[in-house]
Amino acid sequence: MKDFFKAYKLYFKASFSPILIGVSVLFNVFTCLAMIFRYAKITDEGYMSMIGTIIGMSNLFLIIWLMGGKPIIVNNKFFLSASCNKALFTTAPIAAGLTVEMIYSTILITVSYFALERAALPDVIIMLAFNMVFSSFIISMAKMPKMFVPFIISDILLFSQPVIFSNENFKWKNGFGFELPQAVLIAAVMLIVGIGLNIIVMNLWWNKSGRSFKIEPQKMYL
């Protein structure tokens, strides 16, 4: 546990960028304003398209910011040789992403509570949980050797939401139809299963190749 907290702090330190943090905060202020001013009723045709676009795209700069630590830890032998190196390359990026996503999700749920119909809140909660899971996959797998395919799949699943929800064949154009307690339970299960799977995958990656991968410049994919 001591190694985890040390790795957690190191990852945030490696990811620290006033410019990216500022852009992320500004972008997500506009996201919250869009939730208010692009108001759509559940009965509207573009309701889920609005929810999917706003929540899906709101993760973009948060992910870019938190991926910013990857080039530093991947290209610096200090981090690979640190006593907490396993946590730094496996669980710390996941935890860092969840911390930021939880804060933002709380703000967006609060905005949604006052800006949208009460019946829209379950859809917002489910979508935020979905986005949180795949954001953590993207952040943890970015720039990791042999993780390019699952990284790209996670990118596609996360950022294709506006296209999927606006498709005329999308089944749930007026929401998923769950009550608030059901939505909270579904979101909790998604987070537990998704984050648990992410931790398992990253630990398997570490045991297979993480201890010996080469420190060399790599392209940033997003």
Side-chain angles (χ1 to χ4, degrees), residues 63-138:
I63 291 172
I64 292 173
W65 160 31
L66 290 166
M67 283 170 55
K70 284 302 186 71
I72 295 173
I73 66 171
V74 166
N75 295 303
N76 192 320
K77 292 182 180 180
F78 163 78
F79 293 104
L80 191 59
S81 61
S83 60
C84 59
N85 56 1
K86 180 178 180 180
L88 183 60
F89 283 82
T90 56
T91 54
I94 298 172
L98 284 176
T99 300
V100 174
E101 290 278 348
M102 282 289 188
I103 293 170
Y104 173 65
S105 294
T106 301
I107 294 170
L108 196 57
I109 288 171
T110 303
V111 171
S112 301
Y113 179 81
F114 291 104
L116 304 179
E117 299 171 82
R118 295 292 180 269
L121 201 55
D123 298 321
V124 171
I125 290 172
I126 291 173
M127 289 307 305
L128 282 170
F130 175 87
N131 280 264
M132 212 176 296
V133 168
F134 283 99
S135 293
S136 74
F137 269 93
I138 292 169

Side-chain angles (χ1 to χ4, degrees), residues 154-220:
S154 299
D155 271 316
I156 293 171
L157 288 172
L158 188 66
F159 294 112
S160 64
Q161 291 173 81
V163 177
I164 294 171
F165 291 163
S166 61
N167 189 288
E168 61 180 18
N169 295 317
F170 182 67
K171 183 178 179 180
W172 297 283
K173 286 185 177 294
N174 302 114
F176 299 114
F178 295 109
E179 298 295 328
L180 186 58
Q182 295 173 311
V184 171
L185 179 60
I186 292 169
V189 171
M190 287 173 66
L191 285 171
I192 292 169
V193 173
I195 300 305
L197 178 62
N198 196 0
I199 292 171
I200 290 171
V201 168
M202 293 311 298
N203 275 281
L204 286 172
W205 169 83
W206 177 263
N207 293 332
K208 294 286 186 180
S209 63
R211 298 173 192 239
S212 60
F213 72 87
K214 296 179 180 178
I215 305 294
E216 58 185 14
Q218 301 176 52
K219 293 181 180 179
M220 177 67 77

Side-chain angles (χ1 to χ4, degrees), residues 25-36:
V25 170
L26 188 62
F27 186 79
N28 284 298
V29 167
F30 282 113
T31 298
C32 291
L33 291 175
M35 184 69 80
I36 297 170

